[in-house]
Amino acid sequence: MSLPLPRWFAHRGGGALAPENTLAGIRLAARMGFAAVEFDVMQSGDGTPVLIHDETLERTTNGRGLVCETPDARLFTLDAGNGERVPRYADAVAACREYGLLANVEIKPATGFERQTAETVARRSSELWQGARVPPLISSFSLEALEIARDLAPQIPRGVLFERVPADWLSTVRRLQAVTLHCAARHLSDDVLAEAQANGIAVLCYTVNTENAAKSLFSRGVSAVFTDRLDLFVSETSAYKGLHLGG
Ligand code: G3P
Ligand code: MG
């Protein structure tokens, strides 16, 4: 399967320029001309897939406690920054479809919720992205989650996500029928890159927040990077639509 890959993904929605994993972030990325966004999806206490990175609410919202124990009636009243709400996955998909963004949907299960989060995200993804002009790319650090995505939503492309790429990564990619390899930029070796290139697997690196680092990775053969610094790469995005920071 060939997947058109933009070079830059806005990390956690709108990177550092908007509250992370919010609709405001996704909108900002689109307005800045980014063609792709990455966000993290976890289940609420009611089993609703929502955009959030941490298992706990404290860092990114004004709430307290575990996301997986927080009912929707409470979760959706919280402030996720600048008055933004924690978005439902369904609302993020609608925004991405509206703006024609490629979404890297990172399944981010709370510990012990791998199976049920992956089942929910896979099933909902099949419904929500049906007929989309730009299909999403599902990734996860959880190989169990990716197995479930492969089985329940085989038509949606998958990327295997590692911090450090293990020696047997290629057999994992094959077993999961994945099309991309995602990893931490600082741990990427030339051996892994060469093996990926020889096998037609695109490599995507997180989190790349300087121009020099991006340049060096692209020259080594990396296909795309996840960045928090949307401001650094805005002039290089394909459809710069004009940026009006602060309103
Ligand atoms: O998917 C790439 C990157 O988002 C993985 O790390 O912790 O920011 O979700 P994290
Ligand atoms: Mg992520």
Side-chain angles (χ1 to χ4, degrees), residues 7-11 15 17 29 32-35 205 207-218 224-241 243:
R7 282 194 141 187
W8 292 273
F9 282 71
H11 186 227
L17 295 181
M32 291 177 73
F34 277 71
C205 285
T207 306
V208 179
N209 288 335
T210 67
E211 288 167 291
N212 282 347
K215 247 185 234 161
S216 156
L217 289 163
F218 291 141
V225 298
F226 301 93
T227 188
D228 297 318
R229 291 295 307 273
L230 275 57
D231 54 320
L232 287 182
F233 301 113
V234 64
S235 61
E236 305 188 51
T237 54
S238 57
Y240 181 49
K241 297 181 182 87
L243 170 64

Side-chain angles (χ1 to χ4, degrees), residues 20-21 40-76 78 80 86-88 108-111 113 116-117:
E20 71 176 53
N21 285 313
D40 308 292
V41 182
M42 193 179 292
Q43 276 193 314
S44 72
D46 289 320
T48 303
V50 299
L51 270 56
I52 197 158
H53 180 277
D54 297 3
E55 294 196 22
T56 50
L57 293 162
E58 280 82 349
R59 184 180 61 84
T60 57
T61 77
N62 61 347
R64 299 177 71 135
L66 292 169
V67 177
C68 66
E69 290 179 354
T70 305
D72 291 356
R74 169 86 187 119
L75 186 65
F76 297 131
L78 299 178
V86 172
R88 289 177 173 78
K108 189 76 103 182
T111 311
F113 287 79
Q116 80 181 66
T117 306

Side-chain angles (χ1 to χ4, degrees), residues 125-144:
S125 294
S126 289
E127 297 159 13
L128 294 167
W129 292 100
Q130 203 170 27
R133 188 166 53 81
V134 187
L137 173 63
I138 287 181
S139 67
S140 188
F141 286 111
S142 163
L143 301 183
E144 182 185 1

Side-chain angles (χ1 to χ4, degrees), residues 33-234:
F34 277 71
V37 295
E38 182 266 359
F39 50 76
D40 308 292
V41 182
M42 193 179 292
Q43 276 193 314
S44 72
D46 289 320
T48 303
V50 299
L51 270 56
I52 197 158
H53 180 277
D54 297 3
E55 294 196 22
T56 50
L57 293 162
E58 280 82 349
R59 184 180 61 84
T60 57
T61 77
N62 61 347
R64 299 177 71 135
L66 292 169
V67 177
C68 66
E69 290 179 354
T70 305
D72 291 356
R74 169 86 187 119
L75 186 65
F76 297 131
T77 64
L78 299 178
D79 188 338
N82 294 348
E84 287 294 306
R85 301 291 168 209
V86 172
R88 289 177 173 78
Y89 175 45
D91 294 333
V93 175
C96 290
R97 290 190 66 158
E98 181 185 343
Y99 300 122
L101 293 168
L102 166 60
N104 176 199
V105 178
E106 187 194 330
I107 305 176
K108 189 76 103 182
T111 311
F113 287 79
E114 289 79 5
R115 169 160 292 279
Q116 80 181 66
T117 306
E119 285 179 0
T120 302
V121 175
R123 289 208 171 94
R124 289 295 280 145
S125 294
S126 289
E127 297 159 13
L128 294 167
W129 292 100
Q130 203 170 27
R133 188 166 53 81
V134 187
L137 173 63
I138 287 181
S139 67
S140 188
F141 286 111
S142 163
L143 301 183
E144 182 185 1
L146 288 175
E147 251 170 46
I148 292 164
R150 174 199 63 197
D151 294 345
L152 297 185
Q155 77 285 7
I156 299 181
R158 285 165 301 287
V160 181
L161 176 54
F162 296 108
E163 185 180 357
R164 284 174 192 271
V165 180
D168 62 350
W169 71 271
L170 188 56
S171 65
T172 304
V173 163
R174 292 213 167 110
R175 178 168 58 81
L176 295 167
Q177 295 160 21
V179 293
T180 51
L181 169 68
H182 307 202
C183 66
R186 66 183 177 284
H187 297 311
L188 178 63
S189 71
D190 287 332
D191 287 351
V192 166
L193 258 174
E195 201 181 3
Q197 274 163 358
N199 287 280
I201 308 288
V203 176
L204 288 70
C205 285
Y206 69 91
T207 306
V208 179
N209 288 335
T210 67
E211 288 167 291
N212 282 347
K215 247 185 234 161
S216 156
L217 289 163
F218 291 141
S219 73
R220 288 170 65 200
V222 166
S223 295
V225 298
F226 301 93
T227 188
D228 297 318
R229 291 295 307 273
L230 275 57
D231 54 320
L232 287 182
F233 301 113
V234 64

